[in-house]
């Protein structure tokens, strides 16, 4: 696991206390140098999302990862769930789209 | 015109606006492509801005609604979300309702 992936994982664990968290580096699906940490997919389940609109849930994560989003992360697939929702979808989040070769950020 | 005023005008004048990389016909990013497809799937007309062709909007849109990534979908001037939220709303059938209401609202306003 690369340093940015570790940092994202640590920040989310500390600040959201997720019931489930998966941070996947999907950079190798994209047109970036090998070993890049630019494209991530995060699936996160937390009771802190209960009663909050999706936009507010994503804003929580964006705020926690502001530094990484400004500096390092080019693309972020973000899937937030309450424990109930996660149970309803049997613990599977959607697949990220393929790269179409778009330019920086 | 200031770029933020320009963005404000775009979202005020169009009930549904998609800021994306590329165009719905020629998307340059998988996330933008999926979002455009969801809006097309709603069967309503929507405006789009290709942020790759407008560097000023590309640079400044993230601070317009404090949202760091593209694409971004606005309905009635309000940020709905990026790709993941738009798709989730589409799968739940909510995006269809929201876009239909927004498109109809515009017609009513024009008639009134």
């Amino acid at each position: 696991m690369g340093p940015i992936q570790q940092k994202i994982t640590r920040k989310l664990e500390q600040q959201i206390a997720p019931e489930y968290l998966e941070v996947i580096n999907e950079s190798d699906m994209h047109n970036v140098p090998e070993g890049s940490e630019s494209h991530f997919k995060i699936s996160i389940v937390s009771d802190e999302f209960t009663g909050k609109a999706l936009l507010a849930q994503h804003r929580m994560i964006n705020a926690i990862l502001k530094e990484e989003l400004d500096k390092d992360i080019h693309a972020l697939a973000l899937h937030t769930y309450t424990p109930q929702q996660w149970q309803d979808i049997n613990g599977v989040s959607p697949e990220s789209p393929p790269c179409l070769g778009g330019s920086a950020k | 015109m200031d770029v933020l005023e320009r963005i404000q005008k775009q979202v005020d004048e169009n009930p549904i606006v998609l800021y994306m990389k590329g165009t719905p016909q020629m998307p340059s990013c998988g996330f933008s492509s999926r979002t455009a497809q969801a809006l097309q799937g709603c069967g309503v007309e929507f405006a789009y801005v290709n942020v790759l062709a407008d560097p000023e909007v590309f640079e400044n849109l993230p601070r317009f609604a404090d949202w760091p990534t593209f694409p971004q979908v606005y309905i009635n001037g309000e940020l709905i979300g990026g790709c993941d939220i738009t798709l989730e709303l589409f799968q739940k059938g909510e995006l269809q309702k929201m876009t239909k209401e927004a498109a109809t609202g515009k017609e009513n306003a024009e008639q009134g």
Side-chain angles (χ1 to χ4, degrees):
Chain A
M1 196 188 283
I4 294 166
Q5 194 175 358
Q6 281 179 25
K7 205 154 104 182
I8 292 171
T9 306
R10 198 172 56 237
K11 279 191 169 179
L12 291 174
E13 279 174 349
Q14 286 170 351
Q15 297 186 46
I16 295 271
E19 287 193 14
Y20 175 83
L21 171 66
E22 187 176 37
V23 180
I24 304 174
N25 181 357
E26 294 188 328
S27 306
D28 62 1
M29 287 165 57
H30 299 271
N31 188 20
V32 291
E34 208 178 316
S36 291
E37 291 189 280
S38 53
H39 295 65
F40 286 96
K41 173 182 171 180
I42 297 174
S43 305
I44 184 166
V45 181
S46 171
D47 201 30
E48 294 211 26
F49 298 138
T50 305
K52 289 197 173 75
L54 267 176
L55 194 75
Q57 297 175 10
H58 281 228
R59 281 198 191 282
M60 280 171 71
I61 304 298
N62 289 343
I64 292 169
L65 300 179
K66 184 174 187 337
E67 191 191 332
E68 289 71 30
L69 280 161
D70 284 347
K71 276 193 345 203
D72 311 303
I73 300 174
H74 166 84
L76 178 61
L78 184 53
H79 303 285
T80 53
Y81 305 98
T82 64
Q84 184 60 51
Q85 287 170 334
W86 186 240
Q87 209 178 339
D88 291 347
I89 61 165
N90 300 316
V92 181
S93 58
E95 274 181 36
S96 299
C99 181
L100 298 176
S103 68
K105 188 139 185 176
Chain B
M1 193 189 297
D2 174 66
V3 60
L4 293 183
E5 285 172 11
R6 196 151 65 84
I7 295 169
Q8 187 67 55
K9 194 158 177 277
Q10 288 166 345
V11 302
D12 282 346
E13 289 181 350
N14 300 285
I16 306 162
V17 188
L18 165 63
Y19 290 88
M20 67 179 293
K21 291 181 173 178
T23 67
Q25 291 74 32
M26 286 276 282
S28 300
C29 156
F31 295 96
S32 286
S33 173
R34 277 197 183 171
T35 308
Q37 279 170 15
L39 285 175
Q40 284 169 332
C42 292
V44 294
E45 278 190 34
F46 62 94
Y48 70 86
V49 176
N50 176 2
V51 296
L52 296 179
D54 193 331
E56 206 181 32
V57 169
F58 180 84
E59 285 297 322
N60 290 282
L61 186 65
R63 68 184 170 105
F64 176 73
D66 188 27
W67 193 261
T69 51
F70 302 100
Q72 297 187 17
V73 175
Y74 290 79
I75 297 182
N76 289 332
E78 297 237 352
L79 175 68
I80 299 306
C83 173
D84 300 315
I85 291 180
T86 304
L87 257 63
E88 183 153 347
L89 292 173
F90 182 68
Q91 278 151 13
K92 287 183 187 160
E94 289 176 23
L95 189 70
Q96 291 86 329
K97 277 186 222 152
M98 293 161 77
T99 51
K100 193 163 279 178
E101 278 172 18
T104 316
K106 193 195 169 199
E107 277 169 28
N108 290 344
E110 278 170 358
Q111 283 164 5

